[in-house]
Amino acid sequence: EGQPWVLPVVHTIEAQMSTDPTLDHEYLPLDGLRAFTDAAARLLLGDSSPAITQNRFCGVQALSGTGAVRLGMAFLFGYYPNKTVYVSKPTWGNHFGILKDTGFTDVREYRYYKKETRGLDLQGMLEDLRSAPEGSIILLHACAHNPTGVDPNREQWKAILAVVKERRHFTFFDCAYQGFASGDLDADAWAVREFVQEGL
């Protein structure tokens, strides 16, 4: 029918919120609602994550996933010394516009999708990450890769992690679909959690 599908839980929560007399329309702080951003960080990273237990995380509430990627990339452009960004080939079309808008001009692609197998081009990806300038920003899709739907398995993620660590790259995870790829919030966050566990 060409219409977006609204999850039933969204309708339920909207109805509950509309009758909650404790809710108001006050402005939030610039970085958002702290209880929400802390809960979102725990959802993605896991309660036992070193980033959580050592209080090495912060959250900023953004308007949508696009807004979150935009804020993150603007922060990196302003404060991270390397201005080379790698995105998967293909990637979500908005990534290019966001990167351009935030000031990045050296945006390159790493091989990702292999048409012949309809799967991950792991060898090509690893070769491209190895040859990338040390300390490059590597934009990765945490799960449900957009637009291919092809995700690395855990062993492949470990191989990617090893190259990223060896080349001292900075990883930026776009995690728009946690819970939608496998139906399991923890399984879909595995790559992010593994990178954090390894100090990345």
Side-chain angles (χ1 to χ4, degrees), residues 111-183:
R111 286 171 280 177
Y112 188 84
Y113 183 72
K114 196 168 191 172
K115 289 180 185 177
E116 299 79 21
T117 62
R118 296 183 183 173
L120 180 67
D121 183 358
L122 182 63
Q123 281 312 117
M125 181 180 184
L126 296 178
E127 288 171 12
D128 291 344
L129 296 181
R130 271 193 197 96
S131 65
E134 186 173 279
S136 293
I137 299 166
I138 310 298
L139 195 156
L140 298 167
H141 300 237
C143 64
H145 181 273
N146 184 357
T148 69
V150 172
D151 293 329
N153 63 37
R154 290 185 180 188
E155 289 308 308
Q156 292 169 328
W157 272 121
K158 287 179 182 181
I160 295 164
L161 187 152
V163 172
V164 165
K165 200 170 188 177
E166 170 194 324
R167 298 292 298 146
R168 302 170 56 95
H169 294 320
F170 185 97
T171 49
F172 184 104
F173 278 95
D174 185 343
C175 186
Y177 304 109
Q178 183 182 358
F180 288 99
S182 69

Side-chain angles (χ1 to χ4, degrees), residues 49-149:
S49 168
I52 300 291
T53 61
Q54 298 166 12
N55 200 28
R56 294 187 290 111
F57 75 97
C58 71
V60 177
Q61 192 169 347
L63 182 64
S64 76
T66 302
V69 172
R70 170 67 173 79
L71 280 174
M73 286 299 176
F75 179 82
L76 287 177
F77 187 79
Y79 298 100
Y80 187 70
N82 193 322
K83 304 300 184 214
T84 302
V85 181
Y86 278 79
V87 299
S88 63
K89 183 177 183 178
T91 194
W92 179 48
N94 283 1
H95 284 152
F96 293 104
I98 291 167
L99 292 167
K100 180 180 178 185
D101 184 59
T102 52
F104 288 102
T105 57
D106 188 4
V107 179
R108 307 177 191 185
E109 294 176 309
Y110 58 83
R111 286 171 280 177
Y112 188 84
Y113 183 72
K114 196 168 191 172
K115 289 180 185 177
E116 299 79 21
T117 62
R118 296 183 183 173
L120 180 67
D121 183 358
L122 182 63
Q123 281 312 117
M125 181 180 184
L126 296 178
E127 288 171 12
D128 291 344
L129 296 181
R130 271 193 197 96
S131 65
E134 186 173 279
S136 293
I137 299 166
I138 310 298
L139 195 156
L140 298 167
H141 300 237
C143 64
H145 181 273
N146 184 357
T148 69

Side-chain angles (χ1 to χ4, degrees), residues 26 101 193:
E26 286 297 321
D101 184 59
R193 294 176 184 182

